[in-house]
Amino acid sequence: MKNYFLLITTDGETENGKRASARTIINWRLERGRWPIYAGTSHKRLMQKDDDLLFYQAGSRPGRQHIVARARIANVITPKRDDEFDPPWLLSGAAELALVLADINPLENPVAIKPLMGSLSFLPRLRFWGALLMGGCRKITADDHDMILSKAKG
């Protein structure tokens, strides 16, 4: 059975103590067609070939709180020790799994998530809703996935 996931990226820290935007990190990973899955990532054991992915830009930089791209899982692999998934200047841990991506498409019209609160099954209308998007990944329904993509079409 096909699954649908929202992969969440927040701003990161560089080796010189500066902040890297979530969008820079997302773009880096998508350009290489590989996405790291870390030990604490929610739902990682459910991810499989042909599942659909949406990519959410969290953080504090311009474009935050938007779903910015989509892709499909071509394969789930165990990374090698020297595999790099992030820019060399970004501080990040070792990935436990890696998603090999296919059909990678940045959304022409990124979708703001806040106006969809209360309409998505995983995002009720709450005053403090950011915690619902922690953990690197949310499993979403096919209906949520389709609604988000319909908003991306304008």
Side-chain angles (χ1 to χ4, degrees):
M1 186 168 107
K2 180 180 240 179
N3 294 304
Y4 300 86
F5 297 99
L6 180 69
L7 296 179
I8 301 151
T9 303
T10 192
D11 299 338
E13 188 171 345
T14 67
E15 56 192 18
N16 63 4
K18 295 188 177 180
R19 301 294 290 165
S21 76
R23 189 60 175 266
T24 298
I25 297 166
I26 290 169
N27 289 345
W28 177 276
R29 293 171 177 172
L30 294 179
E31 286 168 7
R32 285 150 186 79
R34 290 163 44 110
W35 196 272
I37 301 296
Y38 297 104
T41 302
S42 305
H43 309 295
K44 65 183 171 215
R45 298 290 173 215
L46 300 176
M47 295 177 182
Q48 59 192 3
K49 181 179 179 180
D50 292 325
D51 286 348
D52 282 346
L53 306 171
L54 296 174
F55 299 89
Y56 176 72
Q57 177 185 340
S60 61
R61 303 294 174 102
R64 69 186 177 275
Q65 300 178 351
H66 280 73
I67 297 163
V68 298
R70 67 182 294 194
R72 180 179 55 79
I73 299 175
N75 201 4
V76 180
I77 62 171
T78 301
K80 297 180 179 112
R81 188 177 314 171
D82 59 346
D83 283 347
E84 286 189 5
F85 300 99
D86 290 319
W89 39 262
L90 184 71
L91 297 176
S92 59
E96 186 173 305
L97 298 171
L99 306 178
V100 179
L101 306 177
D103 304 327
I104 301 166
N105 292 300
L107 299 182
E108 198 170 307
N109 299 305
V111 178
I113 203 163
K114 199 168 184 180
L116 299 179
M117 286 175 48
S119 299
L120 298 171
S121 66
F122 66 93
L123 195 61
R125 192 171 296 284
L126 296 172
R127 184 170 176 208
F128 300 106
W129 54 275
L132 296 173
L133 296 174
M134 295 176 115
C137 177
R138 287 294 309 227
K139 189 171 187 303
I140 64 174
T141 66
D143 288 343
D144 289 338
H145 176 269
D146 294 346
M147 178 192 294
I148 292 165
L149 290 182
S150 74
K151 301 292 183 190
K153 293 177 182 169

Coordinates of all heavy atoms in Angstrom, one line a residue, residues 15 20 33 59 62-63 69 93 98 105-106 112 134 141:
E15 N 29.3 25.0 10.3 CA 30.5 24.8 11.2 C 31.1 26.1 11.8 O 31.9 26.0 12.7 CB 31.6 24.0 10.4 CG 32.0 24.6 9.1 CD 32.8 23.7 8.2 OE1 32.8 22.5 8.4 OE2 33.5 24.2 7.3
A20 N 22.0 28.2 8.3 CA 21.8 27.8 6.9 C 20.3 27.7 6.8 O 19.6 27.0 7.6 CB 22.5 26.6 6.6
G33 N 19.3 14.1 -5.3 CA 18.3 13.0 -5.4 C 18.4 12.0 -4.3 O 18.0 10.9 -4.4
G59 N 11.6 26.6 9.7 CA 12.7 27.6 10.0 C 12.2 29.0 10.1 O 11.0 29.2 10.2
P62 N 13.1 33.5 4.8 CA 12.0 33.7 3.8 C 11.6 32.4 3.1 O 12.4 31.5 2.9 CB 12.7 34.6 2.8 CG 13.7 35.4 3.6 CD 14.2 34.4 4.6
G63 N 10.3 32.2 2.9 CA 9.8 31.0 2.4 C 9.4 30.0 3.4 O 8.9 28.9 3.0
A69 N 8.2 21.3 -2.6 CA 8.6 20.3 -3.6 C 7.9 19.0 -3.4 O 7.3 18.8 -2.3 CB 10.1 20.1 -3.7
G93 N 24.3 15.0 11.7 CA 24.7 13.7 12.2 C 24.7 12.6 11.0 O 24.4 12.9 9.9
A98 N 18.6 6.2 3.9 CA 18.6 7.3 2.9 C 17.6 6.9 1.9 O 17.4 5.7 1.5 CB 20.0 7.4 2.2
N105 N 10.2 17.3 -8.2 CA 9.6 18.5 -8.8 C 9.4 19.6 -7.8 O 8.6 19.4 -6.9 CB 8.2 18.1 -9.4 CG 8.3 17.2 -10.6 OD1 8.9 17.6 -11.6 ND2 7.7 16.0 -10.5
P106 N 10.2 20.7 -7.9 CA 9.9 21.8 -7.1 C 8.5 22.3 -7.5 O 8.1 22.3 -8.6 CB 10.9 22.8 -7.5 CG 12.0 22.0 -8.1 CD 11.3 20.9 -8.8
A112 N 1.6 27.6 1.2 CA 1.7 28.0 2.6 C 0.8 27.0 3.4 O -0.3 26.7 3.1 CB 1.2 29.4 2.8
M134 N 7.3 18.7 14.0 CA 8.6 18.3 14.5 C 8.8 16.8 14.2 O 7.8 16.1 14.0 CB 8.7 18.6 16.0 CG 8.7 20.1 16.3 SD 8.8 20.4 18.0 CE 10.3 21.3 18.1
T141 N -2.3 11.6 4.8 CA -3.3 10.8 4.0 C -3.2 11.2 2.5 O -2.6 12.3 2.1 CB -4.7 11.1 4.4 OG1 -5.1 12.4 4.1 CG2 -4.9 10.8 5.9

